[in-house]
Amino acid sequence: MDAKKWKERIKKAAETVGTYQEPFDDVITTLADMLAERDRIYIQYVEEGAHPLVEVISDRGQSNLRDNPLLTTWRSINRDALQYWRDLGLTPAGLKKIVDDQK
């Protein structure tokens, strides 16, 4: 999904749970950009065969298996994006914290 569609989806979700505020637009844009990049990386990962490990040749000529950099980056973006989802109240724990803080 592209960033524009992600932004619409995130904003709508925040409106649905009652956490949307206009000052959050920059955060929503950042999250949307991250998710669009994550989606592009995943598509590339699948197109390249979805191999979780890739062969890397060391400077000494030895063949070693390493985590696929695409998969590693995808996981990293997912982990970072989760914090944005929480901050916007779009996870159960994030929403609970916002509701509890408003009491």
Side-chain angles (χ1 to χ4, degrees):
M1 190 178 322
D2 67 14
K4 183 179 178 182
K5 289 180 184 174
W6 270 117
K7 186 174 181 177
E8 292 168 3
R9 184 173 175 184
I10 297 162
K11 185 175 177 179
K12 183 177 179 181
E15 289 170 343
T16 299
V17 298
T19 60
Y20 174 75
Q21 294 179 27
E22 192 173 326
F24 295 164
D25 283 344
D26 289 339
V27 173
I28 291 171
T29 298
T30 300
L31 176 57
D33 290 342
M34 290 171 66
L35 294 171
E37 180 64 16
R38 180 200 66 176
D39 290 349
R40 283 190 293 276
I41 288 169
Y42 185 74
I43 289 168
Q44 183 180 351
Y45 170 73
V46 169
E47 287 174 349
E48 291 181 9
H51 303 289
L53 299 173
V54 294
E55 184 179 19
V56 176
I57 306 299
S58 73
D59 55 352
R60 295 182 184 172
Q62 290 181 310
S63 174
N64 298 303
L65 290 178
R66 301 273 187 229
D67 290 337
N68 188 321
L70 292 171
L71 189 56
T72 302
T73 303
W74 182 84
R75 287 178 181 153
S76 176
I77 292 171
N78 252 354
R79 185 178 52 251
D80 294 345
L82 180 58
Q83 185 60 48
Y84 283 81
W85 286 107
R86 279 189 203 122
D87 290 346
L88 291 168
L90 299 175
T91 66
L95 182 58
K96 182 180 184 316
K97 182 174 179 356
I98 290 172
V99 169
D100 288 350
D101 286 350
Q102 291 176 350
K103 289 182 181 178

